């Protein structure tokens, strides 16, 4: 039973998160053949100030995308 944990910046809409979870399940199913009902996904959202990427703290990738 795959258990996928995804840490991401807070700010995606419920629809965007649903699409993300569905895509992760689909890719996992196609990659390793697990039955859909056995694939579990957990999204853990964090404020931008708690994240850093490419040497930059708090890049606010989601909030910048929505401008």
């Amino acid at each position: 039973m795959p258990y996928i944990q995804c840490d991401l910046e807070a700010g995606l809409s419920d629809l965007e998160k649903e699409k993300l979870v569905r895509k992760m399940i689909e890719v996992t199913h196609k990659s390793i053949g697990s039955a859909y009902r056995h694939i579990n996904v957990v999204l853990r959202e964090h404020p931008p100030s708690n994240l850093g990427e490419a040497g930059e703290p708090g890049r606010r990738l989601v909030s910048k995308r929505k401008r």
Side-chain angles (χ1 to χ4, degrees), residues 40-53:
N40 301 286
V41 177
V42 173
L43 301 180
R44 296 186 300 196
E45 297 182 278
H46 304 280
S49 59
N50 287 2
L51 302 173
E53 181 183 5

Side-chain angles (χ1 to χ4, degrees), residues 1-66:
M1 276 195 194
Y3 187 88
I4 302 164
Q5 297 179 66
C6 178
D7 289 275
L8 65 150
E9 179 185 343
L12 294 179
S13 70
D14 287 346
L15 181 59
E16 289 171 318
K17 289 186 274 188
E18 182 180 327
K19 287 179 180 179
L20 176 61
V21 169
R22 288 183 187 279
K23 188 68 168 182
M24 293 170 83
I25 290 170
E26 184 65 31
V27 167
T28 302
H29 169 73
K30 287 182 177 181
S31 297
I32 63 174
S34 290
Y36 289 102
R37 68 183 180 279
H38 291 160
I39 302 169
N40 301 286
V41 177
V42 173
L43 301 180
R44 296 186 300 196
E45 297 182 278
H46 304 280
S49 59
N50 287 2
L51 302 173
E53 181 183 5
E56 288 188 47
R59 290 189 64 190
R60 292 174 169 67
L61 299 174
V62 172
S63 54
K64 284 181 181 177
R65 177 179 60 88
K66 292 189 173 193

